[in-house]
Amino acid sequence: MTKLRLGRIEDDKPVKVTIELPGAVHRDLARYADAHARETGIERPLPVERLIPPMLERFMASDRAFARRRSPSAV
């Protein structure tokens, strides 16, 4: 089985953000949470809202164009 891109999720001081998700995206996130729990060996899947921040972080880290713009040397 291919490993999921998302590894263990560390606790960090959260900042509250409210978003609306299409139902299909929420269902897929719930399925991902189930797979993530099985792969990382945690007892119960994390709530969907705990998955979104590390997913966004990983997405932005893998976006080369964003990384170039974010870099201090790009200013």
Side-chain angles (χ1 to χ4, degrees):
M1 179 176 179
T2 305
K3 288 209 173 232
L4 297 175
R5 289 181 177 234
L6 202 58
R8 285 213 171 271
I9 297 175
E10 301 298 323
D11 275 333
D12 194 9
K13 184 175 171 104
V15 175
K16 184 89 167 173
V17 176
T18 303
I19 63 169
E20 290 186 22
L21 299 173
V25 172
H26 187 269
R27 286 188 295 278
D28 282 345
L29 283 169
R31 289 183 193 112
Y32 193 101
D34 289 338
H36 180 263
R38 282 192 303 276
E39 188 168 296
T40 58
I42 59 176
E43 200 171 305
R44 280 185 260 154
L46 292 172
V48 167
E49 56 271 15
R50 291 279 313 277
L51 295 176
I52 295 170
M55 287 178 156
L56 288 173
E57 182 178 34
R58 207 169 260 268
F59 171 80
M60 288 186 293
S62 68
D63 187 319
R64 291 182 181 157
F66 178 68
R68 283 191 301 273
R69 290 186 176 114
R70 185 175 162 192
S71 168
S73 62
V75 176

